[in-house]
Amino acid sequence: MNHRKIFYQAVIPSMLAFALSGIYSVADGFFVGNSLGDNALAAINIAYPLTAFIQAAGTGIGMGGAVMFAIHNGSGDYSRSRKFFGISLLLLALSGFLFTLFFLGNGERILRMFGAEGDILRLGAEYFRYIAFGTLFQVMATGIVPFIRNMGSPVTAMFAMTGGFLTNILLDYILVWVLPYGMTGAAVATVIGQAVTLAVCLIFLMRKRELPSLSFDKETLHMAGKVLFVAISPFGLTFSPNITLILVNKSAVYYGGNTAVACYASISYISSVVLLLLQGVSDGSQPLISLCYGKKEIRQAASYRNMAYRFALAVSAACMLVIFFSREHAAALFGASREVTENVGRIFPVFIAGYLFVGISRITTSYFYATEKNRLASILIYGEPLCLLLFLTVFPRLWGIEGTWLAIPLSQICMMLLSLLFIRNQNRGTGKKTEETAEGSYAGIS
């Protein structure tokens, strides 16, 4: 069996699909920024974490269920894996309904908490209002895609996300540039794009006849709890860049004003694509790792993890080079003013430095939740924003807005070092046992 070939067949479609999903926000910023200017660009940047939360919730629940689905498929318990699929679909539908009600009632209030005011608040509230109406489509679409990857169809998952992306681009052009719908048009384009992704996923499931089990018994609540427990990690992995976005936006508003927010908007749009490429590597390797874990092939699971490390580092290095040599023109892509464009070219190298560190920590995190080590995964995921918050309370007071920018790569370095420490301790513990004992330590799959 050519494990390297299997790895690339799983990871490359996933990586491309995640990169395209990242361009959703870039597309909105591109069309709105070029149409309405710096304030609209900043408004999208401040409102986008709420959109990302919706999509991360879907990804978290879907990935939580998909991990359990793959593990039980690996152990041969196919009826239980289908039941995890059914429970996950119900959780996705319920969360979509509840989030719709919550965000319609509280969206503008949350934007104020993020630091939006004046025109930025008005534009951001207009954008997010229509995003909230389409919450169910977004949660279901992002939640079903991980199952399709774990069913052995990463290319189909890529096509589903590509279809949504292309729809979003086309509608952004029509509703923002051709027709004068501005922020509303950008939001509607995003929602319809996610609806197209969901439609492709449902067609695939019906054609493949991958039917979920929707029976209820005394174990149902326990299994739902396991899905949600695993979901904490992939949700955090998907949403953590947006926690960074929220924290840095607030610091940028306070220490640098709207110009600093517009600068970070351009940087965050481009960085989001790089981070999602890396998430594509980690999530693409997850089905392989979980399947090996279910079969108790622990050495092979670690081998796939190491392949993911090497590939993520190569992707990070390539992105760093491309962005470094094009940094002086990066903000102009979004219609930013000359002042913003010049500032982005000056400060972008600070952010580029963190890409290598993120690649290591994301692969480690994905490996942990793929093998049910959710506590270690959660420490890495939620430790980064806590570390960033600590740095943001200190550095900007010392160095102003430059301290805000510096806090980001330093927090990423901390999480990389912690992830390597966790892996080292795990490898050391495993190395003291025989192969049979080491495999037994990973047993206990429910």
Side-chain angles (χ1 to χ4, degrees):
M1 183 180 297
N2 190 334
H3 293 292
R4 190 174 298 278
K5 181 179 179 181
I6 292 171
F7 172 81
Y8 287 118
Q9 287 176 339
V11 166
I12 291 178
S14 172
M15 186 177 69
L16 295 177
F18 269 97
L20 290 175
S21 72
I23 299 176
Y24 269 90
S25 62
V26 174
D28 286 349
F30 172 80
F31 285 102
V32 167
N34 280 282
S35 177
L36 302 176
D38 286 354
N39 281 346
L41 185 64
I44 290 278
N45 193 49
I46 286 182
Y48 183 72
L50 294 177
T51 306
F53 177 89
I54 294 169
Q55 296 177 7
T59 299
I61 294 171
M63 185 64 76
V67 166
M68 302 310 300
F69 177 89
I71 289 173
H72 286 86
N73 267 349
S75 65
D77 192 348
Y78 302 112
S79 62
R80 197 169 178 84
S81 68
R82 289 194 307 113
K83 189 167 183 180
F84 271 113
F85 184 24
I87 289 170
S88 299
L89 291 180
L90 291 175
L91 289 172
L92 288 167
L94 178 62
S95 63
F97 175 73
L98 293 176
F99 287 148
T100 299
L101 296 179
F102 176 78
F103 284 123
L104 284 175
N106 298 281
E108 185 171 338
R109 184 178 298 111
I110 297 172
L111 291 176
R112 289 182 186 275
M113 290 171 56
F114 289 173
E117 55 185 24
D119 284 343
I120 292 178
L121 175 62
R122 177 181 59 81
L123 293 167
E126 178 186 346
Y127 175 79
F128 186 69
R129 184 181 308 113
Y130 291 91
I131 291 289
F133 279 119
T135 296
L136 182 62
F137 292 126
Q138 298 174 81
V139 169
M140 294 297 294
T142 54
I144 294 177
V145 165
F147 277 98
I148 293 178
R149 284 200 300 269
N150 279 268
M151 291 171 183
S153 300
V155 174
T156 301
M158 181 186 70
F159 281 134
M161 297 176 76
T162 301
F165 161 72
L166 293 176
T167 301
N168 182 44
I169 292 290
L170 176 62
L171 292 178
D172 266 333
Y173 172 75
I174 294 172
L175 299 178
V176 179
W177 277 9
V178 177
L179 301 175
Y181 291 116
M183 305 295 283
T184 297
V188 170
T190 295
V191 170
I192 295 177
Q194 291 289 354
V196 169
T197 297
L198 175 60
V200 174
C201 291
L202 294 177
I203 291 170
F204 166 81
L205 294 175
M206 288 187 289
R207 293 190 63 179
K208 194 172 181 179
R209 297 182 180 179
E210 287 283 356
L211 300 177
S213 173
L214 298 175
S215 60
F216 296 93
D217 54 37
K218 61 182 181 181
E219 284 190 311
T220 300
L221 287 178
H222 173 70
M223 294 174 71
K226 287 188 72 67
V227 170
L228 293 175
F229 183 64
V230 177
I232 293 172
S233 295
F235 164 79
L237 190 63
T238 305
F239 188 66
S240 59
N242 298 282
I243 300 176
T244 298
L245 192 65
I246 294 166
L247 295 175
V248 175
N249 274 334
K250 285 188 70 70
S251 181
V253 167
Y254 187 80
Y255 289 99
N258 288 348
T259 298
V261 176
C263 288
Y264 185 58
S266 299
I267 291 171
S268 66
Y269 288 143
I270 296 170
S271 294
S272 69
V273 177
V274 179
L275 296 179
L276 284 165
L277 279 170
L278 297 174
Q279 186 172 345
V281 177
S282 65
D283 282 14
S285 61
Q286 172 272 313
L288 303 176
I289 294 171
S290 293
L291 189 64
C292 291
Y293 177 74
K295 293 179 179 179
K296 302 182 183 179
E297 297 175 356
I298 306 308
R299 290 183 182 273
Q300 187 55 49
S303 176
Y304 282 132
R305 179 201 67 203
N306 294 337
M307 290 182 197
Y309 278 142
R310 292 190 290 270
F311 192 51
L313 287 173
V315 170
S316 298
C319 291
M320 291 170 70
L321 287 173
V322 171
I323 294 172
F324 180 80
F325 288 109
S326 60
R327 67 191 187 281
E328 294 182 355
H329 309 287
L333 178 66
F334 304 100
S337 64
R338 182 174 180 178
E339 179 186 6
V340 169
T341 301
E342 290 176 351
N343 283 331
V344 167
R346 179 179 59 83
I347 64 178
F348 220 146
V350 177
F351 296 85
I352 294 172
Y355 295 160
L356 287 175
F357 313 133
V358 173
I360 296 294
S361 59
R362 280 185 174 250
I363 299 303
T364 305
T365 300
S366 179
Y367 174 74
F368 283 148
Y369 70 69
T371 55
E372 295 191 292
K373 294 171 181 60
N374 299 296
R375 290 182 178 84
L376 292 178
S378 295
I379 291 171
L380 292 176
I381 292 166
Y382 296 102
E384 183 174 336
L386 288 175
C387 189
L388 176 62
L389 179 61
L390 175 63
F391 290 156
L392 286 175
T393 60
V394 177
F395 295 164
R397 295 183 181 181
L398 298 175
W399 303 305
I401 192 63
E402 302 299 332
T404 298
W405 309 144
L406 185 61
I408 298 172
L410 288 179
S411 64
Q412 292 165 341
I413 290 174
C414 290
M415 290 306 104
M416 181 203 69
L417 294 175
L418 187 59
S419 70
L420 292 177
L421 177 63
F422 286 164
I423 288 293
R424 180 185 178 187
N425 289 342
Q426 185 187 56
N427 290 342
R428 180 181 295 174
T430 302
K432 293 179 181 178
K433 306 172 184 178
T434 64
E435 182 176 349
E436 294 79 12
T437 304
E439 293 183 355
S441 71
Y442 287 85
I445 302 170
S446 55

